[in-house]
């Protein structure tokens, strides 16, 4: 039987809501799964709703499985045919029943990448005239930067979720004309192969329910109660499908937190949640305002941060735990010092009794920043697990150039490396005058005997290479950038200077060029060997996006600097507010200890402390 004795007043109000729409604002750690599972139990036991008429939708398969397991445990494992699933799983069932789709109809992520690679290899010449980030990421062999490819796939998804025309969308990675071409080709190939992606399923479902009232009526009749978890992540097209399904009964129970809406890149936005009462004026609203996860100081500072957003529901979230916990902000003079302090913090934590590496998480704004930490943890023999596959920076064009310089400085017989560096920057060395097999400097000079200025460039290059191999990795990359002039070459070619800075920062942990080169050449293998399984005892490295729904005893947030958090691409107020929500999500993953690190102005190069730290420090000063 349903037991409400352990519920707060607001939890009890949400659980025992009768018919009609309800909006439940559930802050971090407020027990939303607790509420949803007991709400289902209440409907069955007290309202005598047939279990098969209840639909519970979540955003991930893991969340749906966890919700179902919690419900089964609550009902003593008794079989009740409540439907638990993701949006995509539910939409697939509708399409399967009407159009007889099967699993082979769905595009896999690997299929998307193959399609995209093929499209990018066949870009018309007239679309290559205007330089952009996407074109710059394609190397001489036609290989595409994987991170850039994923960003492009995400933008295609966003266009579909928002219901936009590709020609009206302003891409962040390429020109509008090039994006429209890629989108059109992507759609054409998918249709030609009788395939559809998850976003197509939503669009098809919406079209089906609008075009065939009999099909819509069938599904409306089947599910008289719909409960949606993490409603703040819903896209406009998903919401439109749900509104159609709930149109008969209006028994729509939505649970979410507008302050945790962080998936704008795929079309979700908090405004849909903020406007819920406009669509359903009869809806009741409940706020779950007690955080059962975090210590009081963490809750207080997180609440202070998010209060600076304008477009939100006002809430007064408080901690159930009265102990303050630890909340600290650490300034550092450089990225290297920041990482040293984080390593020291981890080592000190592990001296505690019954301490586990898995108690700790490093949460980064992007996977690229997380990869830098993985380098250092690997070097310090600290076990770690990365939630997402790391981006291998050493596969980028600039990294390959740097590696070629160092490889040729160490091993002059490597002809392929010489070919790569000989005109980066330009030295006017013609490839046909370079021997095809291992050669000496004298042979190269002999082949250019009639070109005095080229001989001068060759002599100067070999002097630079001989000096280069005496340096440590950090100094060597700095010398390649500024002494040899590779950075100026990158600027002229519109290549990433940020990658050069990151390569140099990572190299600081290594003593010799051979050690660094081995690490760079075998990076994927080393990460795979050193990154443990999810269930093993290891420090967790996650992005802010991937941290959502998770929690740890101790959370470390590095790189709280402008350009990183908030991201440099966030310009409008709407984008900045989403970045602040992302930071809020990361902060509220901590149960007992929360450490924020940033690099101080001037001493840290071009870094400025994040404006979000200013938000926090304003409140700290007034406390």
């Amino acid at each position: 039987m349903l037991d409400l004795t352990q519920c707060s007043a607001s939890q009890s109000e949400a659980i025992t809501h009768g018919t009609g729409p309800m909006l439940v604002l559930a802050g971090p750690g407020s027990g939303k799964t607790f509420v949803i599972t007991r709400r289902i139990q209440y409907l069955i036991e007290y309202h005598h709703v047939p279990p098969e008429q209840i639909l519970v939708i979540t955003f991930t398969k893991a969340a749906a499985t966890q919700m179902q397991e919690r419900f089964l445990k609550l009902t003593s494992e008794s079989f009740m045919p409540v439907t638990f699933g993701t949006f995509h799983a539910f939409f697939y069932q509708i399409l399967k029943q009407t159009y007889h789709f099967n699993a082979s109809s769905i595009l896999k992520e690997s299929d998307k990448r193959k399609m995209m690679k093929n499209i990018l290899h066949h870009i018309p010449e007239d679309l290559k005239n205007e330089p952009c980030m996407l074109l710059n990421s394609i190397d001489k062999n036609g290989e595409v930067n994987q991170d850039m490819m994923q960003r492009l796939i995400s933008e295609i998804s966003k266009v579909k979720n928002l219901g936009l025309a590709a020609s009206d969308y302003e891409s962040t990675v390429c020109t509008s004309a090039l994006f429209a071409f890629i989108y059109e080709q992507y759609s054409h190939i998918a249709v030609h192969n009788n395939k559809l992606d998850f976003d197509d399923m939503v669009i098809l479902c919406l079209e089906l329910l609008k075009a065939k009232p009999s099909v819509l009526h069938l599904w409306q009749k089947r599910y008289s109660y719909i409960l949606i978890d993490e409603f703040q992540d819903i896209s406009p097209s998903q919401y439109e499908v749900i509104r159609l399904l709930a149109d008969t009964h209006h028994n729509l129970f939505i649970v979410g937190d507008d302050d945790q809406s962080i998936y704008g890149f795929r079309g979700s936005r908090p405004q849909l949640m903020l406007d819920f009462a406009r669509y359903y004026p009869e809806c009741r609203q409940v706020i779950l305002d007690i955080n059962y996860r975090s210590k009081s100081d963490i809750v207080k500072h997180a609440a202070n941060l998010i209060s600076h957003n304008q477009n939100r529901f006002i809430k007064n979230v408080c901690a159930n735990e009265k102990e303050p916990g630890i909340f600290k902000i650490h300034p550092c003079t450089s990225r290297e010092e920041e990482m040293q302090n984080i390593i020291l913090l981890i080592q000190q934590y592990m001296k505690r009794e019954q301490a586990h590496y898995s108690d700790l998480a490093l949460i980064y704004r992007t996977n690229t920043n997380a990869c830098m930490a993985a380098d250092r943890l690997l070097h310090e023999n600290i076990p770690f697990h990365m939630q997402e596959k790391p981006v291998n920076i050493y596969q980028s064009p600039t990294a390959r150039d740097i590696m070629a310089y160092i490889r040729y400085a160490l091993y002059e017989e490597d002809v392929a490396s010489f070919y790569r560096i000989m005109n980066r920057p330009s030295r006017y060395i013609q490839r046909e005058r370079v021997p095809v097999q291992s050669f000496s400097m004298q042979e190269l000079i002999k082949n250019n005997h009639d070109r005095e200025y080229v001989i001068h460039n060759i002599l100067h290059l070999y002097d630079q290479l001989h000096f280069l191999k005496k340096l440590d990795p950090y100094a060597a990359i700095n010398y390649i950038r500024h002494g040899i002039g590779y950075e100026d070459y990158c600027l002229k070619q519109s290549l990433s200077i940020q990658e050069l800075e990151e390569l140099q920062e990572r190299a600081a942990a290594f003593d010799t060029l051979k050690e660094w080169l081995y690490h760079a050449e075998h990076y994927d293998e080393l990460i795979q060997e050193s990154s443990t399984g999810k269930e093993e005892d290891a420090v967790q490295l996650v992005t802010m996006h991937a941290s959502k729904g998770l929690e740890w005893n101790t959370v470390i947030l590095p790189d709280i600097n402008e350009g990183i958090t908030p991201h440099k691409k966030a310009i409008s107020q709407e984008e900045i507010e989403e970045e602040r929500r992302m930071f809020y999500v990361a902060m509220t993953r901590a149960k007992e200890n929360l450490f924020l690190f940033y690099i101080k102005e001037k001493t840290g190069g071009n870094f400025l402390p994040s404006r979000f730290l200013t938000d926090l420090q304003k409140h700290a000063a007034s406390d």
Side-chain angles (χ1 to χ4, degrees), residues 29-45:
S30 61
K32 63 183 179 62
T33 304
F34 175 91
V35 167
I36 293 171
T37 52
R38 280 155 181 78
R39 163 77 176 157
I40 301 166
Q41 186 182 12
Y42 175 80
L43 288 174
I44 296 168
E45 292 182 1

Side-chain angles (χ1 to χ4, degrees), residues 127-128 130-137 173-175 178 494:
L127 293 177
K128 294 181 180 178
E130 196 173 337
C132 61
M133 287 174 64
L134 174 62
L135 294 176
N136 290 337
S137 74
V173 299
C174 63
T175 62
L178 179 53
S494 300

Side-chain angles (χ1 to χ4, degrees), residues 562-577:
E562 287 292 309
I564 301 174
T565 304
H567 196 275
K568 61 185 177 183
K569 292 188 176 68
I571 298 169
S572 67
Q573 181 181 335
E574 184 180 357
E575 290 167 333
I576 293 297
E577 291 207 352

Side-chain angles (χ1 to χ4, degrees), residues 190-390:
V191 170
H192 180 74
N193 291 300
N194 294 315
K195 298 280 189 180
L196 70 163
D197 59 25
F198 286 137
D199 304 308
D200 294 325
M201 287 200 307
V202 183
I203 295 166
L204 267 177
C205 225
L206 185 56
E207 291 173 351
L208 169 65
L209 297 178
K210 283 182 173 180
K212 294 186 179 291
S214 60
V215 175
L216 174 60
H217 179 68
L218 176 73
W219 289 97
Q220 286 175 334
K221 187 177 178 182
R222 182 168 177 178
Y223 294 114
S224 56
Y225 285 82
I226 301 174
L227 295 83
I228 301 179
D229 186 23
E230 303 285 8
F231 186 82
Q232 75 279 349
D233 296 331
I234 202 167
S235 71
S237 52
Q238 288 170 337
Y239 188 26
E240 199 170 348
V241 173
I242 294 300
R243 284 178 57 211
L244 285 172
L245 293 170
D247 196 43
T248 303
H249 305 284
H250 283 202
N251 292 324
L252 188 54
F253 185 88
I254 69 165
V255 182
D257 182 6
D258 56 305
D259 289 333
Q260 296 186 70
S261 178
I262 61 172
Y263 294 112
F265 65 88
R266 67 184 187 202
S268 64
R269 48 198 176 93
Q271 198 61 45
L272 294 173
M273 194 167 193
L274 292 166
D275 289 344
F276 186 74
R278 185 163 65 85
Y279 290 112
Y280 298 99
E282 75 276 27
C283 87
R284 290 174 58 196
Q285 179 177 308
V286 173
I287 300 177
L288 305 184
D289 54 5
I290 300 175
N291 183 320
Y292 296 93
R293 174 190 298 150
S294 306
K295 299 287 188 181
S296 61
D297 268 10
I298 296 169
V299 173
K300 178 183 72 174
H301 288 293
N304 288 339
L305 170 86
I306 202 63
S307 68
H308 288 264
N309 274 5
Q310 302 299 311
N311 193 30
R312 62 186 291 266
F313 286 108
I314 303 300
K315 312 173 195 72
N316 183 25
V317 178
C318 60
N320 188 56
E321 284 271 2
K322 300 310 173 191
E323 290 182 21
I326 295 175
F327 174 86
K328 287 188 177 179
I329 300 174
H330 293 280
C332 300
T333 58
S334 67
R335 273 258 179 85
E336 177 61 19
E337 183 190 311
E338 178 185 68
M339 205 59 229
Q340 286 173 353
N341 287 339
I342 289 171
I343 295 292
L344 184 62
L345 183 61
I346 294 170
Q347 290 169 339
Q348 288 176 338
Y349 181 86
M350 290 306 296
K351 291 177 182 177
R352 299 181 181 186
E353 284 187 28
Q354 298 183 325
H356 299 281
Y357 284 113
S358 55
D359 297 339
L360 300 112
L362 272 67
I363 304 180
Y364 285 88
R365 173 62 184 84
T366 67
N367 199 24
T368 301
N369 298 110
C371 290
M372 292 179 65
D375 262 9
R376 284 305 305 271
L377 295 177
L378 180 64
H379 194 259
E380 298 289 338
N381 294 316
I382 293 175
F384 64 91
H385 172 72
M386 295 190 77
Q387 297 279 57
E388 301 172 56
K389 185 180 177 183

